Structure formats: C-alpha cells, structure tokens
Amino acid sequence: MKFINWLFSIHSEKELVSSVDKFLFSMRVTVNCRYNASVRLQKQGRFSFVTIIILSLGLVFIPLIQNAGIKLSFHSNVINMIQIFIAVAVLVYSIAISTARYDLRAETLRECGDKLKELSRELSKEQQFVEITKDALTIYQKRYTDITTDTENHEVIDYEQATLTMYRDFKITGLAKIFLYTKLKLINLFSNTIPILLILFEIIFITDMLGITEILTSYLQVKN
C-alpha cells in the first residue's frame, strides 16, 4: 500500500488544521511562486537579449563576407532577401521584448516575494509567543492582500515548479513527479521555440552560403 501511495503520489499535500497554519502555508506557496516567476522572466529576458545579439551579428557578418570576394553558394539577390528578413525579425523581436518588460516585471515579482517572506516570518515569530486571534489574523490577511495586489500574478507553471521544490509541504513522488518534471522542462523549452528557430535559420543560412552545408541550398537557388 505504501508503494502504491508513493507511485501515484497519494496524499501529496500537507494536511493543515488551524487557520493560521493554512495562511502561513498559502504565503509560503505564494512566495515560492513569485520567486519562480521572477527567475522565469529573467531567463526569458536574457535569452531574448542573446537572440538579438546573435541575429545582429549575423546581419553584420553576411555583408562582410559578400564584400570579401569569397565564392558564395547563393546569388546576391537571395542573400539580400534573407538579410532583409533577418533585419525585420530583429526589429519585431526587439519591439516584443521592450513591450514584455521582462527585467521590470521580474524585479517587481522578486520584491513582492521579499515582502511576503518578511510578513510570513513576522507572523511565525508572533505565533511562537502568543495565540493569534481572529482579528490579528485578519490584519495579516489584509497586509497580504495589499502586497499581492500591487504586482501581477504568477502563472500555473510557477506553482507547479513550487510543488516540486517545497519538500516539506508537498510530497509529490513516483509517476506524478516524473510527469510534472518532464512537463515543466518541455514548457520551458517550447517557450523559447521562436528565438531558437531564428538562430538556427541564420546559422544554417550562413553555413550554406559558405558551402559548409547544403541544407537550404536547393531551395534558395535562383532559377535562370
């Protein structure tokens, strides 16, 4: 029976009785979710910045190779067309990044997590010495609401990530843990699909242009 419970992650969440413990648990989860969201946005911002740099370097490298007099596999019209496409992609992607405001949102979420963590510590410390009354708990709940309403909410992926790392509160095991871990890895990978494809396209085009590979050569030949 224990093996069945472990395999299918039965009773994966900690059972709580008092309202104070439930509130502390809710704050711990929210703190972890906000930190996870902050890290996720920071990674997206950094990867987007690296993507812009790589694409921009390609835009500089391609005309330099053209002017070097090296024999290229593509006609100049094809090369110019791809340069325009990459330039437009860089422009559109740059606008999307500036609109997303990854760094600002990540910093706001991190500050929210810090404030909630401090509030949780304050309540836990007070709970050790005195009994928390209903009125006192209401005051803490109002402070919690004031802090969380000032920032954007985290996403489901941030909560699922928290359930994997909060070992004392969530006992996710067996197949459920494997499934959730795989799901989070795939979501993180697919979230960067477009920039990865753009970088791969630029690298493949440059290597084809130099004659190193012939992946796109047959599709981008100018017909006489």
Side-chain angles (χ1 to χ4, degrees):
M1 193 64 186
K2 290 183 179 180
F3 176 75
I4 297 295
N5 291 339
W6 177 88
L7 184 64
F8 295 101
S9 193
I10 300 174
H11 307 303
S12 61
E13 193 169 317
K14 190 177 182 180
E15 294 184 6
L16 303 170
V17 179
S18 69
S19 300
V20 177
D21 288 337
K22 290 179 180 179
F23 182 56
L24 285 171
F25 168 75
S26 176
M27 278 200 290
R28 286 197 301 271
V29 174
T30 305
V31 167
N32 277 272
C33 290
R34 295 302 161 95
Y35 284 148
N36 290 338
S38 176
V39 172
R40 174 174 54 80
L41 290 173
Q42 282 182 334
K43 288 181 178 179
Q44 288 181 351
R46 290 170 184 168
F47 191 79
S48 299
F49 180 70
V50 171
T51 301
I52 293 297
I53 291 177
I54 294 175
L55 294 177
S56 300
L57 288 175
L59 284 175
V60 175
F61 180 76
I62 292 173
L64 289 177
I65 290 296
Q66 279 184 289
N67 295 328
I70 299 175
K71 184 180 179 181
L72 304 176
S73 301
F74 297 127
H75 192 274
S76 59
N77 292 339
V78 174
I79 297 175
N80 293 335
M81 177 191 69
I82 297 299
Q83 281 184 274
I84 294 173
F85 169 77
I86 296 176
V88 172
V90 169
L91 177 61
V92 173
Y93 200 56
S94 299
I95 295 174
I97 292 173
S98 61
T99 303
R101 300 178 303 166
Y102 290 121
D103 292 338
L104 178 61
R105 291 164 60 196
E107 179 65 20
T108 304
L109 285 165
R110 187 189 64 78
E111 290 179 355
C112 177
D114 290 339
K115 292 178 182 178
L116 289 176
K117 194 173 185 179
E118 183 62 30
L119 181 64
S120 177
R121 287 175 177 173
E122 185 179 335
L123 178 58
S124 297
K125 187 176 181 181
E126 184 176 347
Q127 187 186 28
Q128 293 176 357
F129 298 100
V130 297
E131 182 179 353
I132 306 298
T133 63
K134 186 176 180 180
D135 292 337
L137 182 61
T138 301
I139 294 174
Y140 277 104
Q141 289 172 336
K142 185 179 183 304
R143 291 173 61 186
Y144 170 86
T145 303
D146 292 338
I147 293 173
T148 55
T149 52
D150 291 337
T151 60
E152 66 175 290
N153 200 5
H154 52 266
E155 296 183 2
V156 176
I157 184 178
D158 305 313
Y159 172 77
E160 292 177 336
Q161 181 67 41
T163 61
L164 285 178
T165 55
M166 296 177 65
Y167 305 110
R168 292 186 303 171
D169 299 298
F170 296 95
K171 306 297 181 182
I172 301 178
T173 57
L175 296 177
K177 187 172 185 178
I178 295 174
F179 173 78
L180 186 56
Y181 180 83
T182 305
K183 175 186 173 183
L184 293 175
K185 288 296 182 182
L186 290 175
I187 290 176
N188 289 327
L189 177 63
F190 290 145
S191 63
N192 294 317
T193 299
I194 294 178
I196 290 175
L197 289 177
L198 287 173
I199 292 173
L200 286 176
F201 175 78
E202 183 182 69
I203 293 174
I204 291 172
F205 176 78
I206 290 175
T207 55
D208 279 2
M209 182 181 68
L210 295 174
I212 300 174
T213 58
E214 295 183 351
I215 300 175
L216 301 174
T217 305
S218 59
Y219 301 101
L220 297 177
Q221 290 292 349
V222 177
K223 296 181 180 180
N224 297 324

